[in-house]
């Protein structure tokens, strides 16, 4: 029985704006003393010299849409800003400007959280494939968008392939990487930060920033979300992403994760089982760049143990020998941490125990799990380690404590309801504010909702998730697409830090959100 079906079987048992404003500016003038006499080379200025150092305010559309598009047959909604919108909106073909649809605007009122009046333009019943934009009298036009059978397929591939572009220590060919091709980087041996004479090969892994840093904790967090996506929605991951390992009969998401896993193994100390925290690059004017290995930390070690165990469990179907190697490395790291429990987060320790229990069935890990859940009857699902650990415990084929598992399910369901309710309370259909600076929180919430929806397949939750994707693709107050390469108004034109795909951990949560939306069994759309 597949993990997906098994999880569902277990659960069944347990469940028995503002109006268009005219933007102006006031030029500043400096008054100079009139000079009399002499010939004038030009017209008199009365001593007033205009200053031309102002910036023209940017004009943003008041009709907000998903700038990638909407799926055929799904519910489709445009968000309209303005206190007194007109009664109707019109959809026009992007190329010809021909009117193809007219719909009624529904006023929703003032939203104090975002400080704006919001209305909706619903065009659910318009299902002709093509490229369009929306227009309304006194309001203006939206950015263009598509209606298509699969509007997010190419985007999903681009989000997943971002990890290939982040690979360190590998030459990226023009054939596979295009404009992002480059020679292998950071391939030389690195030295210990505290002892320069000790060097080791730590090539590989994913860059987490432009300096070429590679980080164990962030790498493990990213891997965990990618593996969770694959476990929940395996059918949407293919073997033709056009990376070097494509068409090897292993889903490319696992090939990409393995590239990071290979690097993580290099970060483990062979003698103790402890794990070094990160590798950083420092540019030395005389010697070129120097690679430094940061010291051992308990957080890196325990998260390494959890991630290696999780990967070994999934990868055993493709390469049992390598999976066993990873499981042994996980156990060694876990045993090292057991000597220093006072320095370890109990949430991280709990997560590692769940992964090792699922992979081995060893009761010593189960004891840790039961003790933690007994002491925390309402586990904090906002904590990633608690969340991953609880989901893994519910999904295991090993023996579980029915009472504790039932309690975990109830907390998960309550979390799903809280997220859904908070989203519907906002007239943007996403729990945000005027600053729109909480994409990390939104993605974390969607990861929780994806798991809950996977368990009970709730149309309402599917709607909430799709609304969040619409928001990140332009249906927000700033009309910004936060994803690379898509949208008329992209974050790269405004502020680099706003991007999601250039942050490896957030990008992995985005993979999970897209996976949930694209899953064949899911009914998506907006109410």
């Amino acid at each position: 029985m597949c993990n997906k079906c098994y999880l569902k079987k277990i659960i069944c048992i347990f469940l028995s704006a503002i109006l268009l404003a005219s933007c102006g500016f006031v030029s500043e003038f400096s008054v100079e003393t009139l000079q009399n006499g002499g010939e004038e080379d030009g017209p008199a200025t009365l001593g007033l010299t205009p200053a031309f150092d102002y910036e023209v305010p940017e004009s943003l559309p008041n009709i907000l849409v998903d700038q990638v598009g909407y799926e055929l047959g799904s519910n489709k909604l445009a968000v309209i800003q303005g206190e007194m919108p007109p009664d109707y909106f019109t959809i026009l073909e992007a190329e010809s400007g021909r009117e193809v649809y007219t719909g009624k605007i529904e006023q929703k009122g003032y939203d104090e959280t975002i400080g704006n009046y919001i209305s909706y333009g619903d065009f659910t019943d318009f299902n002709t494939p093509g490229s369009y934009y929306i227009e309304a009298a006194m309001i203006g036009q939206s950015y263009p968008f598509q209606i298509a059978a699969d509007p997010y397929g190419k985007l999903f591939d681009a989000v997943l392939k971002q990890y290939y572009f982040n690979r360190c220590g590998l030459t990226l060919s023009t054939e596979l990487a295009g404009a992002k091709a480059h020679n292998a980087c950071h391939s030389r041996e690195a030295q210990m930060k505290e002892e320069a004479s000790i060097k080791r090969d730590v090539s590989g892994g994913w860059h987490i920033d432009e300096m070429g840093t590679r980080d164990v904790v962030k790498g493990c967090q990213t891997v965990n979300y990618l593996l969770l996506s694959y476990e929940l929605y395996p059918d949407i991951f293919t073997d033709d992403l056009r990376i070097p390992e494509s068409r090897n009969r292993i889903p490319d998401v696992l090939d990409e994760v393995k590239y990071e896993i290979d690097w993580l193994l290099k970060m483990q100390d062979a003698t103790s089982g402890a794990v070094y925290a990160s590798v950083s690059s420092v540019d030395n004017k005389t010697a070129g760049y120097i690679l430094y290995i940061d010291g051992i930390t308990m957080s890196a070690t325990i998260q390494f143990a959890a991630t290696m165990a999780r990967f070994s469990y999934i990868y055993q179907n493709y390469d049992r020998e390598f999976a066993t190697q990873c499981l042994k490395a996980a156990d060694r790291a876990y045993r090292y941490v057991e000597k220093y429990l006072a320095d370890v987060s109990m949430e991280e320790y709990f997560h590692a125990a769940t992964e090792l229990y699922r992979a081995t069935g060893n009761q010593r890990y189960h004891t840790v799990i039961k003790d933690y859940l007994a002491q925390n009857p309402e586990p904090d699902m906002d904590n990633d380690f608690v969340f991953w650990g609880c989901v893994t415990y519910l999904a295991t084929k090993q023996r579980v404590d029915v009472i504790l598992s039932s309690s975990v399910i109830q907390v998960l369901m309550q979390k799903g309801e809280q997220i859904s309710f908070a989203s519907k309370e906002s007239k943007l259909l996403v729990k945000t504010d005027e600053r729109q600076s909480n994409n990390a929180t939104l993605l974390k919430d969607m990861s929780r909702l994806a798991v809950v929806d996977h368990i009970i397949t709730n149309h309402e939750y599917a709607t909430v998730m799709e609304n969040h994707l619409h928001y990140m693709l332009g249906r927000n107050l700033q009309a910004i697409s936060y994803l690379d390469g898509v949208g008329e108004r992209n974050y790269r034109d405004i502020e680099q830090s706003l991007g999601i795909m250039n942050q490896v951990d957030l990008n992995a949560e985005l993979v999970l959100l897209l996976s949930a939306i694209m899953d064949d069994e899911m009914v998506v759309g907006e109410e």
Side-chain angles (χ1 to χ4, degrees):
M1 183 180 297
C2 67
N3 287 340
K4 182 173 180 179
C5 297
Y6 191 86
L7 177 56
K8 288 194 174 184
K9 182 177 179 181
I10 292 177
I11 302 310
C12 290
I13 294 174
F14 291 140
L15 287 178
S16 34
I18 304 170
L19 285 171
L20 187 63
S22 58
C23 297
F25 59 85
V26 179
S27 299
E28 296 180 359
F29 293 83
S30 60
V31 180
E32 299 177 349
T33 304
L34 287 172
Q35 302 294 325
N36 296 322
E39 296 183 358
E40 295 182 357
D41 295 328
T45 65
L46 300 180
L48 301 179
T49 304
F52 295 102
D53 58 350
Y54 61 84
E55 294 184 3
V56 178
E58 184 177 14
S59 178
L60 299 179
N62 285 316
I63 302 177
L64 308 172
V65 296
D66 180 327
Q67 294 171 33
V68 170
Y70 301 84
E71 185 179 9
L72 283 173
S74 71
N75 290 354
K76 309 170 193 69
L77 201 70
V79 170
I80 299 170
Q81 303 181 83
E83 184 175 357
M84 297 179 64
D87 292 332
Y88 296 95
F89 69 92
T90 302
I91 298 180
L92 303 93
E93 287 183 339
E95 185 173 347
S96 68
R98 182 174 66 91
E99 294 185 5
V100 295
Y101 181 89
T102 298
K104 187 174 177 58
I105 293 177
E106 179 185 4
Q107 295 189 41
K108 288 294 180 179
Y110 187 74
D111 190 321
E112 294 184 357
T113 303
I114 59 177
N116 217 331
Y117 287 91
I118 296 296
S119 301
Y120 295 160
D122 192 327
F123 52 106
T124 296
D125 56 345
F126 181 65
N127 283 298
T128 303
S131 297
Y132 306 96
Y133 64 91
I134 295 176
E135 187 175 76
M138 300 183 297
I139 296 292
Q141 298 177 350
S142 73
Y143 284 128
F145 61 91
Q146 285 192 333
I147 294 178
D150 182 20
Y152 305 124
K154 291 182 179 179
L155 177 61
F156 179 75
D157 288 347
V159 170
L160 195 54
K161 193 167 181 175
Q162 185 66 36
Y163 293 101
Y164 171 64
F165 299 139
N166 285 348
R167 288 189 187 187
C168 183
L170 178 74
T171 296
L172 304 190
S173 69
T174 302
E175 178 186 2
L176 298 180
K180 296 183 180 180
H182 61 74
N183 292 327
C185 57
H186 305 122
S187 299
R188 66 178 64 172
E189 286 189 324
Q191 64 188 48
M192 296 295 176
K193 184 170 286 188
E194 298 177 354
E195 182 53 67
S197 63
I198 302 177
K199 295 181 171 60
R200 63 189 297 167
D201 171 26
V202 287
S203 58
W206 298 319
H207 293 154
I208 66 168
D209 57 30
E210 293 182 353
M211 299 300 295
T213 306
R214 285 155 288 158
D215 185 89
V216 168
V217 168
K218 188 155 287 191
C220 287
Q221 292 172 342
T222 302
V223 166
N224 284 326
Y225 271 117
L226 291 176
L227 292 180
L228 178 59
S229 301
Y230 175 72
E231 283 197 79
L232 295 182
Y233 309 106
D235 293 341
I236 71 168
F237 291 95
T238 68
D239 187 26
D240 57 359
L241 194 60
R242 298 190 75 248
I243 62 175
E245 299 85 358
S246 290
R247 303 192 182 282
N248 63 354
R249 298 184 180 182
I250 299 174
D252 282 342
V253 64
L254 297 185
D255 288 324
E256 196 57 69
V257 165
K258 185 179 181 297
Y259 192 84
E260 179 75 359
I261 292 292
D262 287 336
W263 173 74
L264 288 172
L265 286 170
K266 293 179 179 181
M267 295 296 287
Q268 185 174 39
D269 180 66
T271 303
S272 66
V275 178
Y276 298 99
S278 61
V279 179
S280 55
S281 175
V282 177
D283 190 12
N284 185 294
K285 294 183 179 179
T286 303
Y289 72 84
I290 300 176
L291 295 176
Y292 291 103
I293 302 174
D294 290 308
I296 289 167
T297 67
M298 290 300 104
S299 188
T301 304
I302 193 62
Q303 291 192 45
F304 172 96
T307 303
M308 283 293 169
R310 186 183 195 105
F311 177 78
S312 71
Y313 178 79
I314 295 172
Y315 205 67
Q316 61 183 320
N317 293 326
Y318 299 98
D319 186 340
R320 183 171 291 274
E321 183 178 350
F322 184 73
T324 300
Q325 178 187 346
C326 292
L327 185 58
K328 290 179 178 178
D331 184 64
R332 291 178 61 242
Y334 189 89
R335 290 177 183 274
Y336 178 85
V337 167
E338 285 184 310
K339 303 173 186 177
Y340 306 96
L341 285 182
D343 300 324
V344 177
S345 153
M346 286 298 99
E347 288 74 21
E348 292 173 286
Y349 190 53
F350 162 73
H351 175 219
T354 64
E355 301 295 351
L356 281 159
Y357 179 57
R358 180 170 70 156
T360 68
N362 192 313
Q363 288 301 310
R364 61 192 287 262
Y365 303 125
H366 198 200
T367 298
V368 174
I369 297 169
K370 290 187 291 185
D371 287 347
Y372 180 83
L373 292 177
Q375 295 169 20
N376 298 273
E378 295 186 2
D380 180 11
M381 293 300 168
D382 286 328
N383 184 293
D384 275 342
F385 310 112
V386 174
F387 169 66
W388 292 327
C390 286
V391 172
T392 295
Y393 189 54
L394 293 177
T396 185
K397 296 179 180 179
Q398 310 293 350
R399 185 182 297 275
V400 299
D401 185 299
V402 174
I403 296 176
L404 293 176
S405 297
S406 179
S407 177
V408 167
I409 291 171
Q410 291 178 359
V411 173
L412 259 176
M413 296 301 165
Q414 290 169 2
K415 184 63 178 176
E417 276 297 296
Q418 291 168 3
I419 293 170
S420 178
F421 179 80
S423 300
K424 291 186 295 183
E425 282 289 287
S426 168
K427 291 179 174 58
L428 279 180
L429 305 175
V430 170
K431 187 182 179 183
T432 188
D433 54 29
E434 290 179 284
R435 294 179 59 200
Q436 294 190 167
S437 58
N438 64 333
N439 280 342
T441 300
L442 296 179
L443 285 167
K444 178 175 288 190
D445 283 348
M446 291 306 98
S447 69
R448 277 56 175 171
L449 202 59
V451 170
V452 175
D453 182 78
H454 173 80
I455 294 172
I456 63 176
T457 312
N458 185 305
H459 173 70
E460 179 180 304
Y461 295 163
T463 296
V464 172
M465 286 188 286
E466 191 163 81
N467 284 335
H468 279 71
L469 184 60
H470 291 324
Y471 171 89
M472 292 172 187
L473 289 172
R475 209 174 69 183
N476 53 70
L477 295 179
Q478 300 301 317
I480 295 173
S481 169
Y482 294 105
L483 275 61
D484 290 19
V486 294
E488 186 82 9
R489 176 175 159 85
N490 194 269
Y491 81 93
R492 286 188 176 276
D493 302 323
I494 302 159
E495 172 56 53
Q496 283 287 99
S497 65
L498 296 175
I500 294 174
M501 290 170 60
N502 58 8
Q503 303 179 63
V504 294
D505 50 344
L506 294 190
N507 194 61
E509 294 177 77
L510 179 61
V511 169
L512 178 54
L513 174 59
L514 281 164
S515 301
I517 290 172
M518 295 174 63
D519 183 63
D520 290 339
E521 295 182 5
M522 198 171 245
V523 178
V524 295
E526 296 156 8
E527 294 180 341

